[in-house]
Every structure is written in C-alpha cells, then in structure tokens.
Amino acid sequence: MLFKATNKILLLLMIVLLVMITIVPAPAAHAEADKPVRVLLLYDSLAKGTTKSGNVEALQHVLAAYSVAVTLQSYDNYKQGDLQQYTKVIGIHNVPDIAITNQDFVRDFTQYRGSYLHIGTNVPAMVQSKLNLQTTQVNEDTFKLSIDDFSQQAIQTEVLTYITAHGGTPYGLISSRSGRQSPFGVGHDGIAYVPYFEKGNLSELAIGYVLRDWLGWTQQSNTYVVFKEIYPFSDLERLEQLSDELYEAGIPFVVSVRPIFINLDYPATKRYFETLKYVQSRNGNLVVNVPEISAILSPLKRDLNNSFEMFIDAMVKQGVAPLGFGAEMYWTYDQYFTNSGLGLFDTAILFGNEEIKHKEQAYTSKSYPSTLYSVQLDFLEQFEYREKALTDFPMNTAITFNFNDNGQELNEAVKWLRDSWVTFADLKYGDHSVVTQANKIRSSGGSLYINDQLIDLASAREEVSEEYEYKPKEQKSFERWFNVQNKVFIVIILVTIVAFGGFFIIGHRLYKRKYFK
C-alpha cells in the first residue's frame, strides 16, 4: 500500500512538473512576439541634388507604417558584426558608379542568411542567384508604372533598369513607349529586388506592396481621412461645420489637434475642448499633434512628458478622449521626443518631414503598434484608377488635409471626399490606448472608454461663462479709505463748480445793470 501511495505521489509530481514546463515559457514567448521587427537600412548615398534625393527618407516613412524598428546606416559607417544582429536587411543603391569598399560589410554579407531587399543599382550576386535574375539598362525619358488599381503616366527618368528574367513573384508593371515591359519588383523566399524607387511618385506607394510581403505583414490595412493644423485659435465654428458636413456624408474622420501647455483653466481652453467634444460626437476621432518644435527647444527646459499628461488629463476632464498622436516622421528618430511624451501613446499618424529639428537624434526609430502612413491629396491626384471604388492601400494610410480658415479649400476637400468612392475607416473601431498616470483612454469596437467607463458620445455640451478673472486681483492697503476720500473730493469739486457758476451769474447781472445806468 505504501509503495502504491508513493507511486501516486511521484506520478502527481511529474504531472505538475510537466505542466509547469509547458506553461512557464509562454510569457517569454509572448514577450518575444510583442517585440517589433528590426530592420537594418543601408544606403550608399542620399543622392542630394538628383531625382533620387529623399528616397531614403521616403522608405523610412513607408517602413514605419508596418510597425518596424528601423536602424539607418551608411555602408561607409558599417562595423563588423552589425549584419548578424538583424534578420531583415535593406540595401538601397542610388549611385551606379559607387562600389561598396567597406570590407567589413563585404565579408559579413557573404555569411548573411536572413531576408534581404535590394533597391537600385549594383545588384549583389546572391540576389541574382536566388531570384534567377537578369536585367538590362535602357536609356528612357518617360515610362508608365502600374500596380494594383493605381497607375501613373509619364514618370521621368534618364536610365531605367528592366527585369528581363526572374524566378520570383512579380509586383506591378513598368511600361515604356517603345513597348518594353518589366515588373516593378520581384520577390521570393525572403529575397526581393526593386530596380527603381523615387520619392513623390507612384513608386513610393508601390514599394509598400513589396514590403508588405517581404515583412510578412498580414494585418488588414485601412484608409483614414485626417485634418491637421488645428489650434485653439482656429475657426472653431468652421470646425464644427466641417464635422457636420462629414457626419451627414457618412465619412468618419480624424482631427490632429495642437496641445496647450499653460492656462488650461481659461474659458478659451474650455471652449476648445467643448468643440473637440462636439467633433467627437459627430463620428470624429481625436489625436494629439506634437507641439511646435520651437516651444520644445526653448530655454524653458519644458518637461514634455509632464506637459502632455496635463493636457490629456484636462481633455479627459471635459470628456474628450484622444487615441494617439500626430507628428512628422523624424520625431520617431529622436531619443528625447520618443522618451518624453510619445511613450504615452501606442498609435501614431506620421506626416512627411517638412523641417527637421532634432534635439537628440537617434539612428534607430521607435515603432508603434498602430501607425498610419500619411499622404496629401496632391500626391494622389497624380494617379489614374482602374476602378472607381478604390481598394485600400497596402499599409494603413491617412489622406491628410490642412485645416485652415479658407472656406473654399475646405469645401473642395469635402467635395473630393464625397466623390472619391474610398471606403474610409473609423479609427475607434481599432484597439488604441493612451495612458497617463491619472487616466487610461482606450477604444475598441467603435466605443471609447475613459478608465474603463464608456463615454456617451452624444452628451450635452457645457456652456462656458465669459466672466472669468484672467488675472487675480491684488490686495490693496487702505483701498476702502481711499474710496471714501475720492467720493468726498468729488462732492467738494461739484459744490465748488456750482458755487462758481452762481457767482458768475450774479456778477454778470451786476455788470449789465451798471452798463445800463
């Protein structure tokens, strides 16, 4: 009996041990899965002053939409062993006559076994071999590029590389006036090649299709409409009118609003929040735009994280629930910005860079679980569409408009949105969150929650009183005594004036009598 009991105890211990072995590694595996994909982006030249200028930055912008952490590095600055730290590497070659002379990279690349995407000239032998690739260069002046439902005519070039043979999956189509055709890019088993890529034309969008498969991105993409450059002193009545027009047209939208870091209790600020609450009730979604860079780089040494938290908490107090932030793409390559303030968000709308002003530049980007790639209307107007009803772009994309006081421009924007046949997504149907020390804001399934309490989007607006003491009154000594004294002086002056008037009338009459005598 004792032997049987001992066996049962040993059996139970073995079962418990097996269960622990099975369960314990799960959190570690989950944590590993939550880490963003890391990509090493190498370039030979930024090609400034040429048609390829800006294509490295454009590639960084597209990559961010796939929530990857990108490390940017030139071939000249490559150090031995860097390549082996990555499973995905992109090489972009802008200048045909620049060969890679960094022997550390040359040696490491022969040992590299991860995924590799090559863009431009000087195709490595490994890429040619694995894709069974054959190419030819042709002098062209213009060509047509087509991919999915999009096409663009008369893209200018001087020399174009055509893919004449390959053993991979083709992406898009390049066509010349002479009838020559070539895939825009090809890929197979983690190796991909794109011969042509420039900023500002359809190739910027087309490379998104290649990257989606190369990165193994499986999430469904959506298209959003975003209005930015909204300030407390903007025409808030026009913003409400715009919200009504889009609501009546059945178009969900996003507004990226500039924050306020001082005077959060002023009536003007509260009216700003009440307008944003109205926008929220008209199927609008809110994100916090990063502040003007001059305010951050000023000598005031502002605590950006604390300032963001105060602004968001003030919004929450008024029933307003932001779901992310909007910023120029370079903000994600700055250690100070990403560690101060932007860590409160898990959703980003990244606009194209206009003026880069780093505080602590970093060469590895911070990624966000949900990131929207931003394009403006003039970019899309270059393209022709095969179908009237457009399919979604390869990555989550925001069609962005600047909000201003020009009623005609806003009317034209609304008209384009109504006529575009694009199915716009509602941001709050995704899972987004903003967390401060005092509040947690999240969205799910079309609903908004503040501290796990469902927000009533149709709640009534609060009227904001105009009577407000903008500057506290100072304590004044003897104020009551001086008021009494002033009143006494006023009475004395009035009595004096009346007496003087009486003496003047009497003197005038006496003078007249003397004259008549």
Side-chain angles (χ1 to χ4, degrees):
M1 293 291 292
L2 181 62
F3 179 74
K4 288 182 178 180
T6 305
N7 283 344
K8 286 182 179 179
I9 293 171
L10 288 173
L11 182 61
L12 286 171
L13 287 172
M14 289 179 65
I15 292 171
V16 170
L17 185 61
L18 286 170
V19 171
M20 289 178 64
I21 291 171
T22 305
I23 294 174
V24 169
H30 180 70
E32 191 69 26
D34 287 343
K35 290 183 178 179
V37 174
R38 298 171 64 239
V39 175
L40 176 62
L41 175 56
L42 296 163
Y43 64 92
D44 62 346
S45 168
L46 296 177
K48 293 182 178 180
T50 72
T51 58
K52 293 180 180 178
S53 177
N55 66 351
V56 174
E57 183 181 291
L59 186 59
Q60 292 172 268
H61 195 185
V62 177
L63 281 166
Y66 292 105
S67 300
V68 297
V70 179
T71 298
L72 182 66
Q73 191 177 59
S74 69
Y75 284 105
D76 291 339
N77 293 332
Y78 178 87
K79 293 181 176 58
Q80 184 178 3
D82 287 352
L83 208 61
Q84 274 60 46
Q85 299 177 31
Y86 298 86
T87 58
K88 294 188 179 293
V89 176
I90 300 174
I92 182 165
H93 286 249
N94 285 323
V95 185
D97 54 0
I98 294 183
I100 304 302
T101 58
N102 188 329
Q103 293 304 307
D104 288 337
F105 172 79
V106 174
R107 283 190 295 268
D108 285 354
F109 191 69
T110 60
Q111 305 297 321
Y112 180 70
R113 296 294 179 267
S115 299
Y116 179 73
L117 165 62
H118 190 85
I119 300 172
T121 61
N122 300 330
V123 186
M126 180 270 285
V127 175
Q128 296 181 25
S129 173
K130 292 197 173 184
L131 292 177
N132 294 321
L133 191 67
Q134 294 182 23
T135 62
T136 184
Q137 284 192 337
V138 178
N139 293 326
E140 297 280 7
D141 52 358
T142 62
F143 67 93
K144 175 184 177 182
L145 173 58
S146 303
I147 193 163
D148 201 29
D149 285 339
F150 306 95
S151 64
Q152 183 177 358
Q153 303 276 355
I155 299 176
Q156 295 185 342
T157 185
E158 295 178 358
V159 178
L160 191 63
T161 299
Y162 285 87
I163 300 172
T164 56
H166 64 86
T169 302
Y171 296 89
L173 185 67
I174 288 175
S175 307
S176 69
R177 290 187 297 176
S178 62
R180 187 186 297 271
Q181 292 186 335
S182 166
F184 167 76
V186 293
H188 175 69
D189 197 21
I191 305 300
Y193 171 58
V194 174
Y196 170 87
F197 174 63
E198 289 187 3
K199 180 181 180 179
N201 60 35
L202 185 54
S203 66
E204 187 175 340
L205 181 62
I207 205 163
Y209 290 89
V210 180
L211 288 171
R212 182 180 61 184
D213 290 349
W214 184 73
L215 292 167
W217 186 261
T218 57
Q219 297 183 26
Q220 180 182 352
S221 60
N222 293 298
T223 306
Y224 303 85
V225 56
V226 175
F227 288 87
K228 66 184 184 76
E229 300 303 328
I230 296 171
Y231 299 82
F233 49 80
S234 296
D235 187 344
L236 299 181
E237 290 185 5
R238 184 67 187 92
L239 181 58
E240 292 182 7
Q241 181 184 344
L242 175 66
S243 303
D244 290 337
E245 292 171 353
L246 295 173
Y247 180 77
E248 290 167 5
I251 300 173
F253 60 101
V254 180
V255 293
S256 187
V257 299
R258 293 282 185 177
I260 307 167
F261 292 155
I262 58 173
N263 304 328
L264 292 172
D265 57 342
Y266 276 21
T269 303
K270 292 182 179 179
R271 279 191 288 273
Y272 184 43
F273 290 156
E274 286 300 318
T275 299
L276 299 182
K277 185 160 68 173
Y278 182 78
V279 169
Q280 194 172 259
S281 72
R282 306 304 278 174
N283 216 15
N285 300 280
L286 305 171
V287 298
V288 180
N289 207 100
V290 295
E292 294 285 354
I293 197 70
S294 57
I296 301 168
L297 300 181
S298 68
L300 297 177
K301 302 293 182 183
R302 187 187 302 279
D303 185 338
L304 187 57
N305 195 72
N306 185 55
S307 298
F308 262 122
E309 286 203 348
M310 287 194 300
F311 178 69
I312 293 167
D313 290 341
M315 295 177 83
V316 167
K317 188 177 179 181
Q318 296 294 120
V320 180
L323 297 178
F325 75 90
E328 291 178 41
M329 189 269 296
Y330 80 89
W331 274 65
T332 62
Y333 284 85
D334 193 292
Q335 189 171 351
Y336 174 79
F337 297 152
T338 54
N339 291 339
S340 302
L342 301 190
L344 305 174
F345 308 91
D346 69 359
T347 298
I349 302 176
L350 297 184
F351 309 119
N353 294 337
E354 294 182 8
E355 185 178 6
I356 298 175
K357 292 183 178 180
H358 282 291
K359 187 173 177 68
E360 295 179 15
Q361 184 176 3
Y363 293 96
T364 298
S365 67
K366 178 177 174 60
S367 64
Y368 295 87
S370 178
T371 307
L372 276 60
Y373 169 77
S374 172
V375 296
Q376 293 186 317
L377 184 57
D378 56 356
F379 176 78
L380 297 177
E381 286 179 334
Q382 303 176 89
F383 312 146
E384 298 173 358
Y385 311 106
R386 186 174 59 191
E387 302 290 342
K388 191 170 185 179
L390 293 182
T391 57
D392 286 318
F393 300 99
M395 55 282 192
N396 287 329
T397 302
I399 300 176
T400 305
F401 301 87
N402 286 339
F403 180 84
N404 52 49
D405 297 335
N406 189 323
Q408 182 179 352
E409 289 183 10
L410 289 174
N411 291 337
E412 290 174 357
V414 173
K415 184 179 184 304
W416 184 90
L417 292 170
R418 282 174 171 163
D419 298 341
S420 65
W421 289 73
V422 177
T423 302
F424 293 106
D426 191 337
L427 190 67
K428 61 180 169 287
Y429 275 85
D431 294 327
H432 311 282
S433 67
V434 179
V435 181
T436 69
Q437 292 185 27
N439 295 289
K440 180 179 180 180
I441 306 159
R442 66 181 180 88
S443 68
S444 181
S447 299
L448 296 177
Y449 300 87
I450 294 178
N451 299 325
D452 293 326
Q453 297 295 316
L454 181 65
I455 299 177
D456 180 9
L457 296 178
S459 59
R461 300 177 61 183
E462 296 179 14
E463 293 299 325
V464 182
S465 173
E466 294 288 347
E467 297 181 3
Y468 183 80
E469 196 172 279
Y470 283 91
K471 186 176 180 181
K473 293 182 179 179
E474 297 178 2
Q475 293 289 339
K476 300 176 182 177
S477 302
F478 304 108
E479 182 178 8
R480 189 172 181 181
W481 164 252
F482 284 127
N483 286 336
V484 172
Q485 192 179 51
N486 288 339
K487 290 177 182 178
V488 171
F489 285 149
I490 289 171
V491 171
I492 292 172
I493 291 169
L494 289 174
V495 170
T496 303
I497 291 173
V498 171
F500 179 78
F503 287 136
F504 180 81
I505 293 170
I506 293 170
H508 181 69
R509 287 178 178 179
L510 291 173
Y511 179 77
K512 285 177 69 176
R513 287 175 185 175
K514 183 178 179 182
Y515 178 79
F516 285 126
K517 288 179 180 181

